[in-house]
Amino acid sequence: MTIRFAGATIHASGEDVDDQSASSESDTDYAEEDNNFDDWVSDQAQNQSCRSLFEDKAFPSATAARAHDKDVHNFDLRTISAKLDLDLHQRIRLINFIRKHASTPEDIENLTGAESFFSLDEYLIPQIEDDPLLQLEMDDWSDDEDLSSTDQRPAPPTDLPNALRQMQILERKLAQTHRDMAEYRALVGQQFDAGRFAEILNESGPSSAGPSPRDDDTHYFSSYCENDIHAVMIQDKVRTSTYASFILTNPILFRDAVVLDVGCGTGILSLLAAKSGAKHVYAVDASDIAEKAEQIVRANGLENVITVIRGKVEEISLPDDVEHVDIIVSEWMGYALLYESMLDSVLQARDRFLKPEGGVMAPSQCRIMFGLCEGSEILKERVGFWSDVYGFDLSVMGNDVYEEAIVDVVGPDSMASEPYLLKDLHLKDITTRQLDFTSQFTLVSTTPKRTKIHAFVLYFDTFFTTTGEPVSPEVPVRVTKDGDVTLAEVWPVGGKPPPQRRASVGPGLKQKEDKRVTSFSTGPRSQPTHWKQTIFLLRDPIHAEDGTIVTGTFYCKKSATNSRELDVEIHYSVRQNAETTAVGDTVVQIYKVR
């Protein structure tokens, strides 16, 4: 999906702000007494589990979730909505905005009510399917002085005139509520699956069996059962040789260490850790590949050093005498780094098993990099190809390409800017909540002549240190080329065995290890890896020359329909050069990474 906002600029807050302020009309609120019309509020909504706005924590009901946010985060939806004078649709947009961008209470307290998202239809789409908080909030408001000056219900009328007056007020409220609900249905139905939306709203309630829980794991784990995927990963020499180099050239770190290998696959990293002197290695995998890993361990005579554990790392237990491990090693990275959401499992393993002082994560740090990409070859292969197939126009097949991120290799010459650091992940202390993120970016075109920029490109750089501490931004990533020494040192080349290293325990070795940084890049300037690069094609190319500035905001979060996938939004605008003050339209493109 592509959206264009004329005259919008991207401010330092990361929000797109229009010249026009969103107006608020607050005469469409609800009376507390009218909360049982069947078009919206049902017993199902009142009793359905609901997530906090600011934590990954669920509560028995929307009322309990709202009370928790008020007590713990000092945030009350009713208060902020009254302060900003929000109408029904704006309240819905506010809730969805908070969930979508993981906003903090402080962020929301700074809102004025004039922000552009209060008028954008995209924020009418529930971020959580059948969100009970949306449903509860719609019957929990009143802006009529007679009905909302206190949190208590109004006293029953004592005479006929008062009774008639309250009845008239409630009838007006109910009529307005039905009109608002119809309008909300229409807005969503124009762009989305209205049939499914109506089905959700009109469900009579939970069945005795309850809804089946969504399963994002079965297909994911079963995809790692086959040989091919493991062959591709192991034959990725940049990947495997860098892990091997880190493990085998840091003997002091691994000697006599207890190691946890999360998502061990064939067990290659466990084998390397054992070879480097680990006291014991626990290799964990939830897929059927764990059975082959056990066979591989026995075939290499390491069954006394490596224990394979079949199961999810969130659920398994280590032997009773093992409380903590010294090192967690894992190859968890997916396309665009965060695809597959395996990092969530690694971080849970860290919190459960890594020793608090001196424990090391390997890798210790990853950086998501972003840049301009000329992209004409990708455009030709993925879109242009369809325009003439044996003389037939099949171009409709290329329309959806702009809505899906493309995983492919682009050459170094296709880069049209220096890379920009979108997100720096320090595995020692990052949390799962921080994996959904928003980042501003500024890209400056380096093309020597006027060029059409057809895409953004994203890749990641990975770092290993023996201390687990963050790498300084000044430390460059190693860009691996064909034939580099790193590959030859740890990988048989030309049929010759790799050179043997004599273990050293000299007094200066630990100091050398502590300063050593091992790294690799998946960017266009490096030897291609199995991760390739992630490409976001633009429906409308950017006309750029040397010095053209592209600024914007990158939004990334787990998909609401499959937590292993990613939803990405890129908001950007173009300025021809640093001297130009005029900024072009703000363009929004929405992508799936899957």
Side-chain angles (χ1 to χ4, degrees), residues 344-459:
D344 297 61
S345 298
V346 174
L347 297 184
Q348 289 203 43
R350 176 200 66 189
D351 297 341
R352 294 186 65 198
F353 301 120
L354 188 65
K355 67 179 183 181
E357 297 295 330
V360 173
M361 300 289 289
S364 56
Q365 184 173 350
C366 289
R367 295 172 179 165
I368 300 178
M369 311 302 292
F370 193 61
L372 297 175
C373 177
E374 188 271 335
S376 60
E377 289 300 315
I378 294 290
L379 182 71
K380 185 188 302 181
E381 293 172 3
R382 300 300 182 107
V383 179
F385 158 77
W386 294 106
S387 62
D388 185 357
V389 181
Y390 291 95
F392 297 102
D393 180 2
L394 274 61
S395 56
V396 68
M397 297 295 293
N399 292 342
D400 294 340
V401 173
Y402 296 100
E403 299 176 4
E404 302 277 344
I406 297 169
V407 177
D408 209 334
V409 174
V410 297
D413 294 339
S414 68
M415 287 293 292
S417 72
E418 289 300 314
Y420 186 92
L421 175 60
L422 273 185
K423 180 79 171 175
D424 200 352
L425 291 78
H426 300 154
L427 269 68
K428 182 179 180 180
D429 51 24
I430 194 169
T431 65
T432 54
R433 182 174 175 82
Q434 293 170 318
L435 301 183
D436 287 354
F437 70 94
T438 300
S439 178
Q440 297 174 351
F441 61 85
T442 299
L443 304 171
V444 181
S445 171
T446 56
T447 57
K449 59 182 181 180
R450 190 165 178 81
T451 305
K452 287 184 179 180
I453 305 297
H454 294 286
F456 293 110
V457 61
L458 181 148
Y459 63 92

Side-chain angles (χ1 to χ4, degrees), residues 228-254:
D228 287 352
I229 191 169
H230 295 283
V232 167
M233 291 189 292
I234 290 178
Q235 290 167 5
D236 180 344
K237 293 185 179 181
V238 174
R239 163 203 184 264
T240 309
S241 68
T242 304
Y243 273 90
S245 178
F246 174 72
I247 294 171
L248 297 177
T249 61
N250 290 295
I252 290 182
L253 176 65
F254 281 87

Side-chain angles (χ1 to χ4, degrees), residues 156-210:
T158 57
D159 53 53
L160 183 58
N162 278 331
L164 292 173
R165 181 170 176 270
Q166 286 196 22
M167 286 176 61
Q168 290 172 347
I169 292 172
L170 294 175
E171 286 171 354
R172 288 201 306 270
K173 294 290 183 180
L174 183 57
Q176 184 63 52
T177 295
H178 283 291
R179 289 194 295 271
D180 287 341
M181 191 63 235
E183 186 179 346
Y184 183 40
R185 287 177 187 266
L187 281 167
V188 176
Q190 287 170 8
Q191 300 181 37
F192 305 97
D193 185 353
R196 174 60 187 144
F197 188 75
E199 179 183 331
I200 293 170
L201 295 185
N202 293 323
E203 287 174 348
S204 59
S207 65
S208 57

